[in-house]
Amino acid sequence: MGADRAVAPGQDAEAGWPRDGTEGHHDIALVDQDGTQVAKLRISGDSAGFHALIELLNRHGDSTEDPIPVAIETPRGLLVAGLRATGRQIHAINPLVAARYRDRGSVSRAKSDAADARVLANILRTDRHAHRPLPDNSEVGQAVAVLARAHQDANWDRQQMINRLRSHLREYCPAALAAFHGAGKPGLDSPRARVILTAAPTPADAVRLTRSQLRALLKHGERPRCGIEAEIERLRTVFRADYLRQLPQVEQAPGHQTVALVRQVDAACLSVTQLAAATEEAFLAHPDADIITSFPGLSVLSGARVLAEIGDDRERFADARAMKAYAGAAPVTRASGRSHVVVARTVKNQRLASAGHMWAFAALRTQAPRAHYDRRRAAGERHTAALRNLFNKLLGCLYHCLQNRMPYDPERAFTASAALAA
């Protein structure tokens, strides 16, 4: 975890610790309401360190009824989970924000974990109202967040492996790319491609495949929609076409690497499948699942990604505008003197913004979102801006529906109602 700083301003004390590169310890600072440091401590990142921190807080007025809040630069980890279980407020302070506060107390650019812990404590002492605590998501909501993010990461890992395999095949086996990669092709991650590439990793091996061998491979891997016999003839035609070739012995060497890469793609595809099933199961058990999936463009998996990022703490966002800003759907206005510019928001939750882009794109299949998108395009907006505006609209509707525990209603969502346009 690193040398973390936590800040805990309470009745008459606040505590803080930072997160840098060390994994073995955390520096704690406790300050009173006048900014005087009343205690400091270096703890380990294990159970003993956690109990030492709780004991320190207890000695300075911490109680179940009035727990001392904590500021820290990271919102994750076992130590944070333990502190959240005590019922206290935890404020995750962005390291960039903490760096600005550090400059208020010193211009020498000196830095240490102990000093950073004191800075975090003073941030809560002076500006606690400006820093929202970590959301109080339910246990199911937290589980959905972990699984949905893991599934998204697994998808990215799989795509990275596919890109490596594609680049590798381009160097010595263009026939495989012609057979499986490109528009209208099954894809290098398809069971069909993986089975055949494992059995015939070189152009010479692919040319020698007989009809009966291809038939057995296709039955084992994946039955094509066009029919097995038609696919056999297509593959034989592709494999026997004229391509540039490496020398025979040189050609065998990358074939071994292809088999290794295909095995990695197999593992990546299996991870995606298993995580998708676990994510769907956890999401469908959540009480917000029916409301979220009632929206056009949101499937079970994409709905799980949205829930993972917005959480289920109804007090997390002050209003719909706050949620839109967090997602990057709301634009940013920069006005100074005669200059007045409205630009897309760059500081945002990237995962939610990515899920929102796909959500808005998928929602174009339904009438009301499509009409809204077409109006924005007719007004002169580019495709990306119109999609972002549609996401902004849908996100405002989602906030309204979750707050009022009601499903999506297209007639109310896409009217000029000021309540839903917020």
Side-chain angles (χ1 to χ4, degrees), residues 21-238:
T22 321
E23 295 189 359
H25 66 269
H26 308 279
D27 284 278
I28 309 298
L30 200 67
V31 302
D32 62 19
Q33 293 300 320
D34 296 326
T36 303
Q37 181 170 310
V38 296
K40 67 177 181 177
L41 181 68
R42 173 167 287 189
I43 64 172
S44 57
D46 54 13
S47 177
F50 172 74
H51 290 298
L53 172 59
I54 296 301
E55 182 181 350
L56 173 70
L57 296 178
N58 288 335
R59 289 201 305 267
H60 290 84
D62 187 58
S63 65
T64 305
E65 296 76 20
D66 193 11
I68 297 177
V70 172
I72 184 173
E73 284 185 353
T74 177
R76 294 176 293 275
L78 289 174
L79 195 57
V80 175
L83 286 169
R84 297 187 71 168
T86 63
R88 70 188 69 249
Q89 286 189 348
I90 300 178
H91 299 256
I93 308 298
N94 188 294
L96 293 177
V97 174
R100 301 300 181 271
Y101 275 93
R102 189 187 307 124
D103 292 340
R104 293 171 58 181
S106 172
V107 295
S108 65
R109 309 300 293 252
K111 184 182 184 301
S112 69
D113 291 338
D116 286 348
R118 191 163 55 251
V119 167
L120 287 177
N122 280 303
I123 289 176
L124 285 195
R125 181 180 65 85
T126 58
D127 295 324
R128 183 179 173 188
H129 64 281
H131 300 279
R132 298 181 66 83
L134 291 180
D136 186 20
N137 292 324
S138 67
E139 186 175 353
V140 178
Q142 293 180 55
V144 171
V146 171
L147 289 169
R149 291 167 185 166
H151 177 255
Q152 190 173 34
D153 290 341
N155 269 299
W156 290 337
D157 292 341
R158 179 181 61 177
Q159 188 57 53
Q160 187 177 41
M161 291 307 308
I162 294 170
N163 292 342
R164 287 185 60 189
L165 179 59
R166 183 180 69 243
S167 299
H168 175 66
L169 291 172
R170 186 180 292 115
E171 297 297 323
Y172 85 107
C173 190
L177 296 180
F180 303 116
H181 178 68
K185 308 293 177 57
L188 292 173
D189 60 330
S190 65
R192 188 188 327 173
R194 286 181 276 144
V195 166
I196 292 177
L197 285 174
T198 301
T202 67
D205 294 332
V207 170
R208 287 195 294 267
L209 287 174
T210 64
R211 287 184 173 84
S212 60
Q213 288 174 329
L214 282 171
R215 188 177 296 107
L217 291 171
L218 290 173
K219 288 181 179 179
H220 177 71
E222 176 187 42
R223 292 179 179 270
R225 293 182 179 180
C226 62
I228 289 181
E229 297 304 321
E231 181 67 3
I232 289 173
E233 297 306 319
R234 184 186 77 85
L235 291 176
R236 284 175 60 85
T237 301
V238 171

